[in-house]
Amino acid sequence: PLLAQLMVFLTLVLLIGALGVIAFYGWTFLRPKRKRNITLPSKPDEVAAVSLQAATQQVNQIEDEIARQALLKRSQALSQRMTQQTFQIVVFGLGSTGKTALVNALLGEMAGEVAATVGTTEVERTFRVKVTDEDERAFVGQRGKKQKKKEGGGTLRELLVTNTPVLLEIDELGEERAQQAKALAAQADLLLFVIDNDLHRAEYEPLAMLMGMGKRSLLVFNKCDRYLPDEKEQILQRLRERMAGLLAGEDVVAIAAQPSLAQLPDGQWIQPDPDIEDLIVRILSVLRREGTDLIARNVLLQSQQLSESARALLGLQRQQAAEAIVDRYQWVGAGVLAATPLPVVDMLATAAVNAQMVVELGKVYGVEVSIEEAKTLAVSLAKTMAGLSLAKGVMKMLSVGLQATVATAVASKLLQGVSAAYLTRIAGKSFMTYFQANQDWGDGGIQAVVEQQYQLNRRDEFVKQFLQSAVERLAIC
């Protein structure tokens, strides 16, 4: 009885222990995953900083020294904009609307007397203006009636005012200026789009396009002194109606940057002062309320463009490196099989070569692939190629080309190696597509990728060049 009780006790202990182990591992694998407390940036300046940092990391991977330094210079300029909070205003518009007069007036009112910039703008010109808290109070606090500035007052922000070339000219030089103006406008934190009458279609379309890019804009109705008060108000009303949904009513401002000459009672003609106070009030209001966010959004936009440029260069860099690997392995595999008297191309034999090629291609695209994973991929692709009967089709196609290139006896000897090289190339190109798509064969799967690469690499001109290279490399085997 004692032994029986001991056995029951031990059995019970083992059962409890087993249940405990099962419960532990069951809880380990089945318990809800803990949510990681990852704080994502939410403020525009934080998002812009993260985006810029990511773009800079991409730039640092570029091997071309000249291209890398050029993009790093752009990255550094964006970083400075974030820290220095320099506000970029770009004056934009068609010819003869008074853009240059507006820039003159802005600089004269906000920065004092400056050198004249009148004349047709053929290249962009940028001017720096320091705006202080005292300036803002003088304009905004007095409804645009500028008071005499007091000494002192902390700096609100530095403004960069850029006058652009004429937009939408029809001649060749004008088109070049138009592209330049659009590129400058894309860099703006605030865009001043100048017109001198009701908004025409040629003006509306580029303005809508720029605001569609996220450009904060003010529509500036210049030369309003040429109209009677009623006419001026009617035009303003129509402009605000046309821009409904794109601009707020207060973002459509009437000014006279260079008013028409006025005659005094004594017959003397004088040049009236610019009437742009309402525009300055609106600019400073936007600057105060939205300035930091606008700079951040613009830096975000430009950092995304920087990232796209870096990705394009990295893609080209990776493609060149990957093509060099494919080129090397196609001849390695071809040399091995050309020296082996096999009656047909053995797809499984080439899989070993392809596996090592996959490992090296993965490194080019920043993916660590183990040799076991590479073998699986290589065998899978070899089976796909066999299922498509590519080997027979390739040998038939290349045998015709070889017989036209070398003697029949030599062609027969080279056919197997050349076919192996060609099939290895198809495999390598297919793996490149796989890695470029972030290790995804796409909707059509591996078969669609292989078929596509086969079609791309069977053009007559390419096959002719390929056979010439093959004869030169494999004739000694």
Side-chain angles (χ1 to χ4, degrees):
L2 181 60
L3 181 60
Q5 291 178 358
L6 182 61
M7 291 297 296
V8 170
F9 176 76
L10 291 175
T11 302
L12 184 61
V13 170
L14 290 173
L15 180 61
I16 293 175
L19 290 175
V21 171
I22 293 172
F24 173 78
Y25 284 103
W27 170 250
T28 300
F29 288 102
L30 297 178
R31 66 180 177 180
K33 294 182 179 180
R34 295 180 181 179
K35 293 184 178 179
R36 298 167 65 183
N37 294 324
I38 301 176
T39 303
L40 297 176
S42 57
K43 297 180 180 180
D45 56 339
E46 295 174 348
V47 175
V50 171
S51 178
L52 181 57
Q53 182 181 16
T56 304
Q57 290 175 348
Q58 287 181 307
V59 171
N60 284 323
Q61 297 177 40
I62 297 173
E63 295 178 356
D64 187 306
E65 181 67 19
I66 297 177
R68 185 175 71 254
Q69 290 301 325
L71 292 181
L72 283 175
K73 186 176 180 180
R74 284 173 54 184
S75 173
Q76 291 165 359
L78 291 175
S79 180
Q80 289 177 355
R81 290 210 59 205
M82 289 287 293
T83 56
Q84 297 175 359
Q85 292 289 289
T86 302
F87 196 72
Q88 178 79 56
I89 299 175
V90 178
V91 183
F92 197 58
L94 301 186
S96 305
T97 55
K99 297 186 293 88
T100 301
L102 171 57
V103 171
N104 280 339
L106 281 173
L107 296 175
E109 290 293 307
M110 301 178 75
E113 295 298 326
V114 295
T117 62
V118 293
T120 300
T121 305
E122 297 186 359
V123 295
E124 76 275 7
R125 299 187 63 184
T126 299
F127 305 88
R128 294 180 180 271
V129 180
K130 293 283 189 178
V131 180
T132 66
D133 295 325
E134 191 66 33
D135 293 324
E136 186 190 26
R137 286 192 294 269
F139 278 105
V140 180
Q142 296 298 320
R143 299 178 61 83
K145 301 300 181 181
K146 188 174 181 181
Q147 300 175 331
K148 182 179 179 181
K149 269 198 307 186
K150 298 179 182 179
E151 295 297 329
T155 299
L156 176 63
R157 190 170 284 118
E158 182 181 56
L159 307 185
L160 299 180
V161 182
T162 299
N163 191 12
T164 65
V166 174
L167 178 67
L168 297 180
E169 294 279 4
I170 60 174
D171 58 30
E172 182 177 354
L173 180 59
E175 177 61 25
E176 181 181 343
R177 293 177 186 171
Q179 294 301 323
Q180 183 183 21
K182 290 177 182 178
L184 287 168
Q187 300 175 15
D189 301 311
L190 179 63
L191 181 66
L192 305 185
F193 198 97
V194 185
I195 59 175
D196 61 0
N197 203 321
D198 202 355
L199 192 62
H200 301 293
R201 182 175 181 178
E203 297 166 319
Y204 177 84
E205 290 181 350
L207 176 59
M209 179 270 293
L210 290 167
M211 287 190 292
M213 293 168 52
K215 295 290 99 179
R216 183 66 168 91
S217 304
L218 301 181
L219 183 59
V220 182
F221 170 32
N222 192 20
K223 304 181 183 179
C224 67
D225 59 308
R226 298 182 180 181
Y227 302 90
L228 296 174
D230 289 346
E231 294 174 332
K232 169 187 169 183
E233 290 303 320
Q234 288 176 2
I235 294 176
L236 272 175
Q237 183 61 30
R238 285 199 300 270
L239 290 173
R240 286 166 178 155
E241 290 174 356
R242 291 179 189 275
M243 300 307 297
L246 293 176
L247 286 177
E250 58 266 28
D251 288 335
V252 181
V253 184
I255 68 165
Q258 190 175 9
S260 302
L261 294 175
Q263 189 174 25
L264 298 176
D266 61 3
Q268 182 181 359
W269 291 88
I270 64 169
Q271 175 67 62
D273 292 335
D275 180 12
I276 62 168
E277 286 83 3
D278 288 345
L279 176 60
I280 294 178
V281 169
R282 189 60 188 153
I283 290 173
L284 292 177
S285 177
V286 170
L287 179 62
R288 171 60 70 182
R289 297 178 183 179
E290 309 172 42
T292 300
D293 285 351
L294 289 179
I295 291 173
R297 292 190 187 112
N298 199 1
V299 170
L300 175 61
L301 174 63
Q302 293 188 57
S303 66
Q304 291 170 343
Q305 294 172 346
L306 178 66
S307 178
E308 291 173 3
S309 299
R311 275 201 302 270
L313 288 171
L314 282 173
L316 180 60
Q317 174 181 303
R318 286 169 173 170
Q319 182 176 350
Q320 292 173 342
E323 287 180 347
I325 291 172
V326 172
D327 184 73
R328 175 159 49 88
Y329 273 95
Q330 72 184 14
W331 303 123
V332 168
V336 171
L337 291 181
T340 305
L342 296 177
V344 294
V345 177
D346 188 347
M347 298 295 294
L348 293 178
T350 61
V353 175
N354 289 346
Q356 188 59 40
M357 180 173 64
V358 169
V359 173
E360 293 195 28
L361 286 174
K363 291 179 180 179
V364 169
Y365 289 96
V367 179
E368 289 294 332
V369 181
S370 67
I371 191 63
E372 289 76 16
E373 293 171 328
K375 287 178 181 178
T376 301
L377 283 170
V379 170
S380 177
L381 189 133
K383 290 179 179 179
T384 300
M385 296 175 77
L388 293 172
S389 300
L390 287 190
K392 293 181 180 179
V394 167
M395 292 184 74
K396 182 177 180 180
M397 176 184 68
L398 296 180
S399 64
V400 175
L402 277 173
Q403 289 174 6
T405 305
V406 296
T408 303
V410 177
S412 178
K413 178 182 178 183
L414 291 178
L415 179 58
Q416 185 171 314
V418 173
S419 298
Y422 189 90
L423 291 170
T424 302
R425 178 180 180 81
I426 299 300
K429 288 288 188 176
S430 299
F431 288 128
M432 285 174 60
T433 302
Y434 171 73
F435 285 117
Q436 287 168 355
N438 296 320
Q439 297 173 272
D440 186 357
W441 289 112
D443 295 336
I446 188 172
Q447 179 174 327
V449 173
V450 171
E451 289 179 334
Q452 181 188 36
Q453 290 302 325
Y454 176 63
Q455 294 300 327
L456 290 174
N457 287 272
R458 63 177 299 181
R459 297 187 303 271
D460 291 341
E461 187 63 28
F462 169 77
V463 171
K464 182 179 179 180
Q465 295 177 355
F466 180 83
L467 289 174
Q468 290 176 349
S469 297
V471 170
E472 293 173 0
R473 291 172 178 266
L474 301 178
I476 62 174
C477 294

